[in-house]
Amino acid sequence: MKPSILRIAIPCPLPKLFDYRGIEACLTNNLVGRRVRVPFGNRKLVGVIMDCGSESNLPLARLKPIDGLLDAAPVLDTEILDLLRWASTYYHHPIGDVVASALPVRLRQGHECQIQGITYWLPAPDADPETLSGRAVRQRSLLNLLQQHPQGLDSSELDAQSENWKSAIRELVKKGLVLTTERPCWERGSADTALRSAPELNAAQQAATDSIRASLDQNERFLLQGVTGSGKTEVYLDIIEAVIAAGKQTLVLVPEIGLTPQLVRRFRERLGNRIAILHSGLNDSERLCAWSMASSGEAQVIIGTRSAVFTPLTQPGLIIIDEEHDASLKQQDGFRYHARDLAVMRAHRLNIPIVLGSATPSLESLRRCEEGAYRLLRLPQRAGPARPPRIELLDLRRGQQTDGLSGLLIDEIHRHLKREGQVLLFLNRRGFAPTLLCEDCGWIAHCQRCDARMTWHAGSRLLRCHHCGAEQPIPSHCGECDSERLAPLGQGTERIEQTLEKTFPGVQIERIDRDSTRRKGALESSLDRAHSGESRILVGTQMLAKGHDFPGVTLVGILDCDQGLFSADFRAAERMAQLITQVAGRAGRAERHGEVLIQTRHPDHPLLQTLIHHGFEAFAKELLNERKLAHLPPYTHLALLRVEAQQREAPGHFIDRLLEILPRIKQVDLLGPVPAPMEKRAGRFRYQLLISAEERAPLHEQLHQLMHFIREMPEARKVRWSLDVDPVEMF
Ligand code: ADP
Ligand code: ZN
Ligand code: ZN
């Protein structure tokens, strides 16, 4: 009998499968999708069997046998493997790397695919904190905490609520005051969620779910557009109930920032506990547990971030993408895929419906509606008692302003605070000031490694580069003229916070950005203070803009929207409008009427006027028109070849050389080499080649050629390069 040959996906940069000889244990069926350990160079790697056969292009004698088979059953089914093959071709990314990215870390490392329980700590039934010595403060407070959660807490819950709990809890276990138990991950939170019934849907919600429910057995694509608070989540819950009733699973993708405990609770309260959650906060065994729950069919609903799009499902019935416009659905390095686009493809191959939801859909999806490929369902009004906010522009060129806050805005903040409202101020720039300026000679502190200014951070008393992370102490003298008159120029959230403290003494202010929430649990406690109404003014970056509900907020201030109007990035205006609309959606969600004030130096800008007076949809229509005239996506398709090196000339030379030898495909435009918008970053010089075409087929033919030639070029070893298909960021 001929020895069987296994074609294996191995995580490495080579774009192919590798042939190995099977061993005796392989003489069985159904090998595809199982993991193997193989010798690779002088290492041992974990790969996945993609195919079996009896022929190889290499002489049999040169094939090595595998070391061993790791699974008794496939960990990836053929549906996922086919999707991964497709993705590898579409994104021109090596198959081994693509397959590895679909596996939870523990499986990538070769651990057994077995559901491990999660450890929970719970108070012993008769534990009495009084028996602890007075000095055991930490043990005492931990025991008190656990007694408030008699069903137990796991390590991530303890991390969120307590510091340095590990040694104290060991002592408590030793003393018999605390017990441990293991439970599968999906039982998390089960003890304290009571089921809740659905509200009666309004007419628009009903019409939306009727349309989707009528298409549960086919690949219909829906774009559910509704302002924040219009009840999209209720529509999802309603359809998911129907999918569960049909015995099928729903995959729900959300942006990282949207996967809040509130959202999870809401799903559990309505749909019960057979819900698997996949997000970056999980440790590896929790992730494996949730993943297995999905791939074994135990989970009826899988809620996850970007990479959850690759979760195997036994009974797929529906895919939902919430906030489908969100940039975090796109992977920005390594295997650069777009989870939304892959989900649309997956639903098509599975012949199941997909629902894309957003208050501010991407122009890509709106264009698909225009073409008739997606069905647009609208929820035009807020559900419940909330009314839409009043939106107004504040002209920054007129009147007084204090450190970035116009006099009018300050008056309005006073007025809202007096009437017990909460205020939310949004500025997408953290730190104290984006620039440090010498008032004598005009010198500005730049990053040594980037074409960028250093940001002044008052809290940590450092200058920090937001592009490469470089840090240095704040200088006392000018680097050029030695003057001591150095001043911060412009505003970041820290400075706004400081100004607010001076202007509103005694008022509790909460700053929420990446700096203020670095400590574990800090974001949760900030949000708690915001929700309870303890904090009166919230100031923050886009961390505040998304995913969170602040029913007490009656005034939203957008401190600077002008960055989006005049940027070199053609997506900047779209992003600005999405952010303004999302932030505005935070105002007046409860009974109170909300107000939104937008500070700008360009109040007459036509796009801004359209957005304010006619809303996001009208705005998007105008932008689509502009894109069409400018031959930009979604009317053309793009790919970006990024090249960087430590020598300034190397990337440009590399692209020039590539263009000399690359055969051209008709209908494809090649633009480059052009320097990246920030030419130098982290000590490297960066150039781009932009590849565009109106049709996808010639574009991909060109990309195929391009990859082939790059891989053959000896010069390629002297630079770093990457290809981004359908890039979202243009730098
Ligand atoms: P979205 O997902 O569009 O932001 P949600 O589904 O979260 O909107 O709904 C916003 C708020 O309105 C929530 O508090 C929700 O419970 C409530 N809500 C939604 N639909 C209804 C309805 N039909 N009747 C009463 N309240 C509703
Ligand atoms: Zn100077
Ligand atoms: Zn830098």
Side-chain angles (χ1 to χ4, degrees):
M1 184 167 88
K2 279 190 180 172
S4 64
I5 291 170
L6 307 179
R7 273 186 265 292
I8 297 176
I10 294 175
C12 76
L14 295 172
K16 59 173 194 170
L17 299 175
F18 294 85
D19 288 359
Y20 281 83
R21 259 185 297 138
I23 52 175
E24 236 164 89
C26 295
L27 299 175
T28 154
N29 298 320
N30 213 6
L31 281 172
V32 170
R34 297 202 217 181
R35 292 171 305 149
V36 288
R37 199 181 292 279
V38 295
F40 190 79
N42 48 16
R43 292 179 297 166
K44 304 282 185 194
L45 294 181
V46 173
V48 174
I49 302 175
M50 302 295 287
D51 204 357
C52 307
S54 51
E55 318 238 314
S56 172
N57 292 333
L58 291 172
L60 269 188
R62 283 192 48 200
L63 295 186
K64 293 185 194 157
I66 62 167
D67 278 0
L69 198 57
L70 295 177
D71 300 307
V75 291
L76 294 174
D77 57 33
T78 47
E79 184 253 320
I80 285 292
L81 291 176
D82 287 345
L83 180 72
L84 295 171
R85 267 196 206 93
W86 182 87
S88 164
T89 310
Y90 183 85
Y91 291 106
H92 300 267
H93 195 79
I95 180 74
D97 217 31
V98 170
V99 170
S101 65
L103 290 174
V105 172
R106 284 186 69 81
L107 296 189
R108 256 181 260 170
Q109 293 166 338
H111 292 282
E112 232 180 304
C113 183
Q114 191 186 47
I115 301 184
Q116 286 179 323
I118 308 283
T119 303
Y120 286 78
W121 286 269
L122 45 156
D126 49 357
D128 180 2
E130 295 310 313
T131 60
L132 287 165
S133 96
R135 279 177 301 134
V137 185
R138 182 150 280 150
Q139 293 180 33
R140 196 186 281 262
S141 75
L142 256 180
L143 186 53
N144 277 324
L145 174 66
L146 287 176
Q147 285 180 328
Q148 291 161 31
H149 301 272
Q151 78 285 1
L153 294 176
D154 69 6
S155 62
S156 53
E157 290 161 333
L158 281 164
D159 274 342
Q161 303 191 39
S162 165
E163 276 169 39
N164 297 328
W165 52 271
K166 285 186 179 137
S167 60
I169 220 156
R170 258 199 305 275
E171 287 303 312
L172 288 167
V173 171
K174 235 189 259 168
K175 291 174 184 153
L177 297 172
V178 165
L179 311 174
T180 62
T181 184
E182 291 220 334
R183 290 186 210 132
C185 58
W186 60 86
E187 287 187 16
R188 160 172 299 165
S190 51
D192 48 9
T193 30
L195 283 181
R196 233 198 247 199
S197 55
E200 197 175 322
L201 297 181
N202 63 36
Q205 286 172 316
Q206 194 61 53
T209 79
D210 285 348
S211 304
I212 303 168
R213 276 172 176 254
S215 312
L216 284 186
D217 295 319
Q218 66 208 60
N219 176 232
E220 199 54 83
R221 303 150 189 195
F222 299 93
L223 179 64
L224 180 63
Q225 178 177 16
V227 295
T228 319
S230 60
K232 294 184 293 297
T233 311
E234 287 303 331
V235 171
Y236 305 152
L237 291 167
D238 184 80
I239 326 161
I240 296 173
E241 279 178 342
V243 174
I244 291 177
K248 296 204 177 146
Q249 294 170 294
T250 304
L251 175 63
V252 185
L253 298 184
V254 295
E256 189 71 57
I257 213 157
L259 220 180
T260 57
Q262 292 93 305
L263 181 83
V264 173
R265 191 173 338 116
R266 213 165 144 193
F267 271 70
R268 289 217 158 103
E269 282 173 351
R270 282 287 296 286
L271 305 169
N273 269 308
R274 287 177 58 191
I275 298 180
I277 315 290
L278 286 157
H279 64 82
S280 64
L282 301 180
N283 65 34
D284 293 342
S285 44
E286 289 170 324
R287 179 164 270 271
L288 177 58
C289 185
W291 190 84
S292 320
M293 197 182 155
S295 63
S296 67
E298 179 67 37
Q300 293 167 320
V301 181
I302 296 89
I303 310 177
T305 49
R306 183 173 64 223
S307 64
V309 70
F310 300 117
T311 315
L313 305 168
T314 45
Q315 291 294 328
L318 168 71
I319 302 180
I320 292 172
I321 318 262
D322 193 28
E323 310 287 354
E324 65 87 32
H325 65 281
D326 198 275
S328 76
L329 290 164
K330 174 81 188 325
Q331 168 92 24
Q332 304 284 14
D333 53 17
F335 170 30
R336 294 171 169 79
Y337 63 92
H338 202 304
R340 176 193 62 216
D341 300 346
L342 278 178
V344 169
M345 177 48 81
R346 190 172 181 193
H348 168 72
R349 294 165 151 259
L350 286 167
N351 197 28
I352 60 172
I354 180 165
V355 180
L356 312 179
S358 177
T360 52
S362 62
L363 295 190
E364 277 73 11
S365 297
L366 288 171
R367 166 84 182 124
R368 304 286 279 149
C369 289
E370 255 180 28
E371 290 173 330
Y374 296 178
R375 259 166 79 188
L376 183 60
L377 303 171
R378 282 198 190 84
L379 302 182
Q381 270 150 20
R382 294 185 176 200
R387 287 177 291 169
R390 195 166 60 81
I391 305 183
E392 241 178 83
L393 297 175
L394 291 183
D395 188 347
L396 271 180
R397 298 166 308 180
R398 298 215 188 115
Q400 286 273 344
Q401 62 160 295
T402 324
D403 285 342
L405 297 175
S406 72
L408 276 172
L409 180 58
I410 291 178
D411 291 346
E412 282 299 307
I413 297 175
H414 271 300
R415 204 167 62 83
H416 280 261
L417 290 177
K418 206 181 273 167
R419 296 194 316 197
E420 306 294 314
Q422 264 177 312
V423 174
L424 187 158
L425 299 178
F426 172 79
L427 178 66
N428 220 0
R429 208 184 295 125
R430 64 200 167 85
F432 187 78
T435 303
L436 174 67
L437 171 81
C438 169
E439 293 188 315
D440 282 327
C441 76
W443 172 83
I444 281 171
H446 273 98
C447 176
Q448 309 260 322
R449 308 173 66 222
C450 307
D451 293 330
R453 296 172 175 188
M454 299 292 272
T455 299
W456 175 319
H457 284 258
S460 51
R461 296 207 207 126
L462 287 171
L463 291 185
R464 205 176 273 151
C465 172
H466 286 186
H467 304 280
C468 73
E471 286 180 351
Q472 65 182 71
I474 294 176
S476 54
H477 294 82
C478 169
E480 204 65 49
C481 75
D482 217 32
S483 156
E484 288 178 23
R485 300 208 318 133
L486 297 181
L489 185 69
Q491 287 84 33
T493 46
E494 280 184 352
R495 190 172 202 174
I496 297 292
E497 181 187 25
Q498 194 192 67
T499 309
L500 290 168
E501 277 164 358
K502 278 191 222 146
T503 319
F504 301 95
V507 173
Q508 172 113 9
I509 295 160
E510 196 76 43
R511 175 164 64 88
I512 301 187
D513 57 31
R514 249 199 295 149
D515 299 318
S516 75
T517 56
R518 219 167 283 259
R519 212 169 31 80
K520 218 167 179 169
L523 177 61
E524 288 74 12
S525 32
S526 284
L527 290 174
D528 281 348
R529 283 191 294 274
H531 286 132
S532 72
E534 187 185 335
S535 325
R536 307 307 310 159
I537 305 180
L538 321 173
V539 46
T541 56
Q542 57 177 338
M543 287 187 79
L544 261 187
K546 301 181 183 179
H548 305 290
D549 261 347
F550 302 108
V553 168
T554 54
L555 173 65
V556 168
I558 293 169
L559 302 187
D560 179 8
C561 77
D562 293 345
Q563 289 161 304
L565 293 176
F566 302 96
S567 167
D569 183 345
F570 71 86
R571 286 188 217 272
E574 177 185 2
R575 263 190 227 125
M576 173 209 62
Q578 284 164 338
L579 211 52
I580 289 180
T581 312
Q582 300 274 344
V583 181
R586 307 291 129 199
R589 295 200 68 178
E591 298 71 25
R592 306 164 183 223
H593 209 69
E595 209 171 340
V596 179
L597 298 174
I598 303 175
Q599 299 195 138
T600 175
R601 291 179 186 281
H602 306 276
D604 302 325
H605 196 289
L607 280 177
L608 209 48
Q609 285 292 330
T610 306
L611 181 65
I612 305 310
H613 297 297
H614 307 285
F616 183 81
E617 237 183 299
F619 175 88
K621 248 198 195 113
E622 280 188 17
L623 265 191
L624 273 173
N625 242 338
E626 285 187 6
R627 297 268 186 96
K628 190 175 195 168
L629 293 173
H631 295 282
L632 285 167
Y635 296 93
T636 53
H637 305 292
L638 288 186
L640 195 59
L641 177 72
R642 298 187 179 89
V643 182
E644 56 174 59
Q646 262 156 357
Q647 300 79 31
R648 183 184 285 271
E649 294 76 25
H653 283 169
F654 174 77
I655 294 175
D656 281 334
R657 176 79 192 118
L658 174 68
L659 290 176
E660 274 167 35
I661 56 175
L662 183 69
R664 301 296 173 89
I665 304 294
K666 256 200 242 157
Q667 301 158 329
V668 177
D669 288 326
L670 296 166
L671 176 69
V674 286
M678 185 182 293
E679 184 179 342
K680 185 177 163 202
R681 181 159 156 193
R684 293 170 163 274
F685 294 90
R686 304 146 73 236
Y687 278 72
Q688 310 180 331
L689 175 67
L690 192 65
I691 307 127
S692 68
E694 272 179 36
E695 303 295 328
R696 282 197 193 279
L699 178 74
H700 280 268
E701 203 181 327
Q702 183 74 75
L703 295 180
H704 186 75
Q705 293 275 12
L706 179 114
M707 293 303 274
H708 176 75
F709 277 84
I710 289 183
R711 290 200 169 103
E712 300 287 310
M713 283 168 72
E715 296 94 330
R717 264 171 269 141
K718 299 197 192 111
V719 296
R720 270 195 211 162
W721 60 270
S722 62
L723 182 69
D724 195 348
V725 179
D726 306 329
V728 167
E729 302 286 354
M730 299 308 288
F731 50 75

